[in-house]
Amino acid sequence: MRQSSFDAPGRRGADSRHGQTFGSTAAGAPETEAKIVLVKRRTRLEELVVRYNTIQQAQFYVERLGADFGDYIREDRVYRAALHQATESLSVVGRVQHVDREHVPNFIFGEKDVVVVLGQDGLVANTLKYAAYRPLIGVNPDPQRWDGALLPFKVGELQSVARDILRDKRPVKEVRLAQAELNDGQVLYAVNDLFIGRRTHVSARYELRINEAAEQQSSSGIIVSTGMGSTGWLRSVLAGAAGIASGAAGQPAQALTPDASFGWDSPYLYFSVREPYPSRATSANLVFGKIDERSPLRIMSQMPESGVIFSDGVEDDYLEFGSGVEASITVAERRGLLAV
């Protein structure tokens, strides 16, 4: 953990095409010229209206299935109120620009921007990899609904937290990212995890290499986890492996954990191969291990179609991984900074 800093590298300027800027409040001009990027998302109700065109049609669809449409309305109302309060509060401190979740990958963050995410955890993780080196404030818009492991702040605390960040008085926690780089120069980052495999449920074929060991494999894909992501997909994989092993051996289940010290800032990753299939042409020995800067994981695709690498569970955020393409998986130099 260290104090926040604005001297890290980054792209200059800010793209206002995908956001609305709020430069002052009823009380007058903001206290500073700092730009505060407020990342927001659609609520479930908004998603339904986009899909079914009107709120009435959305209500008909949800209630026909026996669900409580009122819960969608309550969630939407609470989130909108939190967004309004956050905007008003932050506008006292600086110039606030709204950015929708879908525009984050193409948004150009300024070097000294303060980034605020009106959660959930997934939105914080997705924003961290595009707003690297900039202090990010995770805000829980609905504490009664969301636990928010990456959302330590409530809306009412935003103004004082933003001031602390601008004065370099708020500690931030460093987050190490994973990186997949293809041999054609394309790069994909992940805050939680990378998936390497097929889009469909058919087997993925590839050659896996780490250090001096190499193996032809057929599997359901490979999961690569960061320290931040170790309580997510990797935990599920390890829990399943422990359950299968104990059941097959007729012994009580023993919990599997990669490393007790595997934290958000750990300079290494873990990989796990899902459902490896041993055959005459494929093996299943290199199925779990550690990746660091000196020992990258190298994977050569043997998938003529539908091979992909995607990050953080977002299947639209992917690299094509077809036959002959090689990926090098390692710890990224890019790092996230999360205010605490």
Side-chain angles (χ1 to χ4, degrees), residues 68-120:
D68 178 16
F69 190 70
D71 187 56
Y72 290 77
I73 295 175
R74 288 189 293 272
E75 178 192 356
D76 182 79
R77 184 182 299 121
V78 170
Y79 188 82
R80 287 176 181 274
L83 179 61
H84 176 77
Q85 183 182 351
T87 302
E88 291 293 307
S89 178
L90 292 171
S91 293
V92 174
V93 180
R95 299 174 296 114
V96 180
Q97 181 171 3
H98 286 176
V99 176
D100 291 322
R101 176 178 191 159
E102 58 266 31
H103 296 141
V104 168
N106 298 316
F107 185 82
I108 301 175
F109 291 91
E111 289 184 11
K112 296 188 177 182
D113 288 352
V114 175
V115 184
V116 177
V117 174
L118 202 59
Q120 301 160 259

